[in-house]
Amino acid sequence: MDEFVFARVLHVLGVILWVGGVAMVTTVLLPTLVRMQSPAEAMEIFVRFRQRFAAQVRYTTLIVGLSGFYMVYVLDVWQRFTQWQYWWMHTMVLIWLLFSVMLFVMEPRGRRQQATDPVQTNVSAETFVKIQRKHLFLLILSLITIAGAVAGSHGWLIAGS
């Protein structure tokens, strides 16, 4: 198999696992936690789930980032980052950077803080609503980017390009 095709396969599989997981957390897990009787118990479940999910997503974001930059390099399409018709490439990098900062900087920092202060005293249903809003924003942005990338990679560019 050609290395480029292999990189694209890894890229697409990584995006499916990553964004599909975000969709599941946003549309299934968080609404369930909001409805729980005990916000403290809901937070305990969320923290345990997040630890396992974050580990999976760390691997997939690394695969997506490496394969994406590899494909740009092999195709030598760096100039697309200067053309607004290829807007989805900019948003791919933006989303990748946002998630990478969350997964490799913010999440470990939060875990260290939780280890020193394991009691969550400010937990409420509203906490999960805020978390869900953030996830929903990232999910919508990701889905728009995926739709734009699929359409654009098949020649459906914005008029005037």
Side-chain angles (χ1 to χ4, degrees), residues 111-143:
R111 254 188 299 142
R112 281 193 301 273
Q113 288 174 348
Q114 184 183 6
T116 60
D117 182 23
V119 178
Q120 300 277 337
T121 55
N122 297 345
V123 179
S124 68
E126 184 62 29
T127 303
F128 292 105
V129 171
K130 289 177 184 177
I131 294 169
Q132 186 178 23
R133 283 185 193 134
K134 292 174 188 175
H135 277 78
L136 186 59
F137 171 76
L138 291 170
L139 176 60
I140 290 169
L141 185 60
S142 298
L143 294 175

Side-chain angles (χ1 to χ4, degrees), residues 63-84:
I63 290 168
V64 167
L66 291 172
S67 60
F69 284 111
Y70 174 79
M71 290 187 293
V72 170
Y73 171 77
V74 167
L75 293 174
D76 194 25
V77 290
W78 299 104
Q79 76 281 1
R80 288 185 178 181
F81 288 104
T82 66
Q83 301 168 336
W84 63 271

